[in-house]
Amino acid sequence: MKLLKRLGIIILSLPAVLAISWGIYEIFGFCINHIASKEQTSILQMNLEREISDIEIITVDSETGNTSGTGNHVDCMSSIIFSTEMQEPEIKNRMAKYYVFDEWNCYVAKTDDGHYEIYINTPAPFADNKEGH
């Protein structure tokens, strides 16, 4: 009888245990995705400073989530606005050893105020995390 009682308690508590486990997994995914975005942005800034000697960083931004607004996925987005005397083709040429410019997920563009923006958007490590829904 004790065995059946214990088995019943285990079966009844199983949904709660699974829900808590799922919640912990999602929170873990949130944290890893945000760490990945910050790391991607740090590496981007380091690569820019390594390749462009006269760079002046204006703003550094990173975002984690569904940045495109389409689908249920999580992205890691990095955007750095900077100024330099270099022209866009030379910037792309120097950064091409680190990134593939496709004009959608990775690009360099001149801003309205004469600075440059480099933008990178990659899938997050936990791309199916609830943060993207």
Side-chain angles (χ1 to χ4, degrees):
M1 193 66 161
K2 280 186 175 183
L3 180 63
L4 286 177
K5 188 174 182 180
R6 286 183 186 164
L7 186 60
I9 291 171
I10 290 172
I11 290 173
L12 289 174
S13 64
L14 192 58
V17 170
L18 291 175
I20 290 169
S21 298
W22 176 80
I24 290 170
Y25 176 78
E26 288 296 319
I27 291 169
F28 176 76
F30 288 170
C31 294
I32 296 299
N33 287 345
H34 283 270
I35 290 169
S37 290
K38 288 185 187 328
E39 182 70 17
Q40 174 179 283
T41 304
S42 295
I43 291 170
L44 175 59
Q45 184 172 353
M46 183 180 64
N47 290 340
L48 280 169
E49 290 171 343
R50 179 183 301 131
E51 296 298 325
I52 303 172
S53 60
D54 69 337
I55 193 167
E56 180 186 335
I57 304 289
I58 310 298
T59 62
V60 177
D61 185 32
S62 69
E63 186 178 322
T64 307
N66 189 338
T67 58
S68 68
T70 60
N72 295 331
H73 64 282
V74 182
D75 300 315
C76 295
M77 186 276 295
S78 302
S79 173
I80 297 179
I81 296 176
F82 62 96
S83 64
T84 180
E85 293 298 318
M86 284 186 193
Q87 298 301 311
E88 188 176 326
E90 188 177 355
I91 295 168
K92 282 184 178 180
N93 188 36
R94 291 200 179 194
M95 299 304 289
K97 61 180 146 184
Y98 306 108
Y99 307 104
V100 176
F101 294 99
D102 63 3
E103 303 306 321
W104 182 256
N105 290 315
C106 182
Y107 62 82
V108 173
K110 198 158 193 156
T111 63
D112 292 338
D113 55 359
H115 302 299
Y116 290 99
E117 176 187 20
I118 187 164
Y119 173 91
I120 297 174
N121 191 337
T122 60
F126 287 82
D128 195 30
N129 192 276
K130 277 295 186 193
E131 193 168 20
H133 294 263

